Amino acid sequence: MSTTPEDQSEAIEACIDALDESIALLSHHPPRALAAALAVHLQAIIAVLHAEGECSAEQIRQWLEEIVRGACAEEP
């Protein structure tokens, strides 16, 4: 799931921008609350992708592992 078709690059960038704006509006909430709320939404979105056959359970696991590695990577 880390490889993104080129035709989705623009849509992904637009989504990132919109999410950045939304997170800025929610910045008065504690980071843990924001993370929990985003996790609930991410779970629902991933469930839809899985149900529609867009990705397998193994692809989802790999994607989530990539996210964890990226989030927990030590800074140089």
Side-chain angles (χ1 to χ4, degrees):
M1 297 225 9
S2 63
T3 53
T4 305
E6 289 300 316
D7 61 332
Q8 292 186 6
S9 295
E10 263 187 53
I12 291 169
E13 287 299 320
C15 287
I16 289 170
D17 290 343
L19 285 170
D20 285 345
E21 291 173 18
S22 297
I23 295 299
L25 293 173
L26 298 169
S27 65
H28 62 283
H29 293 289
R32 188 176 292 252
L34 286 173
L38 286 169
V40 169
H41 281 277
L42 182 58
Q43 180 180 356
I45 293 167
I46 289 173
V48 169
L49 289 173
H50 186 256
E52 292 183 0
E54 294 284 327
C55 54
S56 68
E58 182 58 31
Q59 288 173 313
I60 293 167
R61 281 187 210 90
Q62 290 174 357
W63 189 27
L64 294 174
E65 287 172 6
E66 287 178 32
I67 292 169
V68 170
R69 278 193 302 274
C72 298
E74 292 186 26
E75 295 183 26

